[in-house]
Amino acid sequence: MLPRTRYLARLMGLTLTILALSELLRRQATMDAAASMTKETGMLWLAGLATLASGPAVVLAHNIWRGGLATVLVTVLGWMAAFKGAAVLLVPAPCWVAMIDVGGYARFYYVYAAIPTVLGAYLVWAG
């Protein structure tokens, strides 16, 4: 594994794990934050900007599609962040509310929080 891959896996893994654990431990605060971000379009815009900045940074530094699961996962997460950041900036807030409702965010909350927990823990371990 390249040193750059190891660094990004650890960085992304720790970030995902800590974020997901905070979601698991503070469900109501997370739900309130998600609801307020769709009402406060400035906050949604800032979140999109931060995500857009981090996604292409990973992609430009690490667009590697072979070399093991962790290596590819770092690249995939970078691309996902780039697309999500662009989408958050371009898609109006009411559409995000509809997508959250359609995706059953409140109903499947713990499933949505478990996914980044598992991915983050794996990246920390693999890195």
Side-chain angles (χ1 to χ4, degrees):
M1 182 181 296
L2 294 171
R4 173 182 29 176
T5 302
R6 185 173 313 258
Y7 170 77
L8 288 170
R10 289 176 180 167
L11 176 66
M12 295 169 97
L14 283 171
T15 303
L16 282 171
T17 302
I18 292 168
L19 177 63
L21 287 175
S22 77
E23 290 176 4
L24 289 169
L25 296 172
R26 302 185 63 211
R27 183 180 196 267
Q28 191 57 51
T30 303
M31 296 293 289
D32 292 345
S36 72
M37 285 189 71
T38 57
K39 292 176 188 156
E40 296 292 333
T41 56
M43 291 298 292
L44 192 61
W45 188 84
L46 285 174
L49 184 62
T51 306
L52 182 64
S54 64
V58 171
V59 170
L60 290 173
H62 192 278
N63 195 22
I64 303 169
W65 291 96
R66 57 186 146 202
L69 180 59
T71 302
V72 173
L73 190 55
V74 167
T75 299
V76 168
L77 289 173
W79 277 105
M80 287 174 66
F83 284 121
K84 180 183 175 186
V88 169
L89 291 173
L90 297 172
V91 175
C95 293
W96 286 106
V97 172
M99 286 187 276
I100 288 169
D101 289 343
V102 168
Y105 183 68
R107 193 172 59 229
F108 299 112
Y109 179 82
Y110 291 107
V111 173
Y112 285 120
I115 293 167
T117 303
V118 171
L119 290 176
Y122 171 73
L123 286 174
V124 169
W125 174 80

